[in-house]
């Protein structure tokens, strides 16, 4: 929402879970600023989903009575209603946010940075700090070491590292 790509009225019109949660929040406090309202909705929305998983899963787990659970049977899951609401929310986010040209372009830039870092580290493993390499030992395959190193990076660190080793 802070990017301006998602409009609150679109969420209200297209996402039942959002609309229901907004109404609950406004029932508790009708005088929230727009900023506080969005934050309160997000907090309650997450809490509702966690509570639903817990409430729906506990009886399933208790039924198993500690026995091995068939891997095809889900014991930790949303209720059917929440599953459908979550699916609607996810579809909205995919259609409106993740498929937006700006987000797609930024995602591609991120992938390019990761691939460039991987290739550069593969060519010169000494670019990965010695302490990190020693911590993981000599038995680890270089590709695994590089993957683990990159996966632990924040976005900002990855960009800084990318510019420092590709523009140097």
């Amino acid at each position: 929402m802070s990017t301006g790509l998602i409009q609150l009225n679109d969420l209200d019109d297209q996402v039942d879970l959002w609309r229901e949660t907004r109404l609950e929040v406004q029932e508790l406090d009708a005088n929230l600023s727009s900023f506080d309202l969005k934050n309160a909705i997000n907090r309650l929305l997450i809490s509702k989903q966690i509570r639903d998983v817990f409430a729906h899963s506990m009886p399933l787990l208790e039924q198993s009575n500690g026995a091995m659970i068939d891997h095809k049977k889900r014991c930790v899951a949303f209720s059917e209603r929440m599953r459908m609401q979550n699916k609607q929310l996810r579809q909205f986010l995919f259609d409106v946010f993740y498929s937006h040209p700006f987000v797609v372009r930024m995602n591609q830039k991120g992938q390019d940075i990761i691939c460039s870092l991987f290739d550069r580290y593969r060519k010169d493993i000494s670019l990965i700090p010695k302490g990190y390499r020693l911590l993981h030992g000599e038995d680890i395959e270089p590709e695994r070491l590089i993957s683990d190193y990159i996966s632990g990076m924040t976005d900002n660190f990855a960009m800084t590292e990318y510019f420092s080793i590709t523009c140097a």
Side-chain angles (χ1 to χ4, degrees):
M1 286 178 279
S2 61
T3 62
L5 300 177
I6 296 176
Q7 303 303 313
L8 292 180
N9 59 334
D10 291 337
L11 278 163
D12 254 10
D13 293 343
Q14 298 176 44
V15 182
D16 297 338
L17 181 59
W18 176 271
R19 183 176 50 260
E20 290 172 13
T21 306
R22 178 188 55 78
L23 291 171
E24 286 179 52
V25 168
Q26 288 180 317
E27 202 172 284
L28 295 171
D29 189 348
N31 298 316
L32 291 173
S33 70
S34 177
F35 177 81
D36 289 337
L37 177 64
K38 287 185 278 189
N39 287 334
I41 293 169
N42 280 326
R43 280 193 308 273
L44 183 56
L45 197 143
I46 291 167
S47 294
K48 286 172 72 169
Q49 292 179 82
I50 291 169
R51 285 193 307 265
D52 181 89
V53 166
F54 186 78
H56 182 70
S57 302
M58 283 309 294
L60 298 173
L61 291 169
E62 288 169 359
Q63 286 174 5
S64 72
N65 201 20
M68 286 294 279
I69 299 170
D70 181 357
H71 71 280
K72 295 178 186 170
K73 182 179 176 185
R74 287 190 177 173
C75 286
V76 178
F78 287 128
S79 64
E80 185 59 24
R81 181 172 188 271
M82 185 60 76
R83 188 182 71 74
M84 295 306 292
Q85 287 183 319
N86 183 269
K87 182 177 179 181
Q88 184 185 50
L89 173 61
R90 291 166 57 100
Q91 187 62 54
F92 174 85
L93 291 172
F94 180 80
D95 293 344
V96 175
F97 185 75
Y98 296 114
S99 297
H100 190 279
F102 174 77
V103 175
V104 170
R105 192 169 47 253
M106 293 305 291
N107 188 20
Q108 186 58 56
K109 284 182 181 181
Q111 289 178 39
D112 293 345
I113 288 172
I114 290 168
C115 289
S116 294
L117 286 171
F118 189 90
D119 291 342
R120 190 68 176 98
Y121 291 141
R122 189 188 290 156
K123 289 177 187 168
D124 185 0
I125 198 85
S126 70
L127 291 171
I128 294 177
K130 186 176 183 177
Y132 188 88
R133 294 192 320 262
L134 292 173
L135 181 67
H136 287 80
E138 294 178 11
D139 295 339
I140 192 169
E141 294 181 24
E143 289 79 10
R144 172 81 282 150
L145 178 73
I146 295 165
S147 296
D148 289 350
Y149 184 63
I150 292 173
S151 70
M153 293 180 177
T154 63
D155 293 351
N156 285 338
F157 181 77
M159 288 190 298
T160 301
E161 188 75 353
Y162 169 78
F163 287 118
S164 85
I165 66 176
T166 59
C167 299

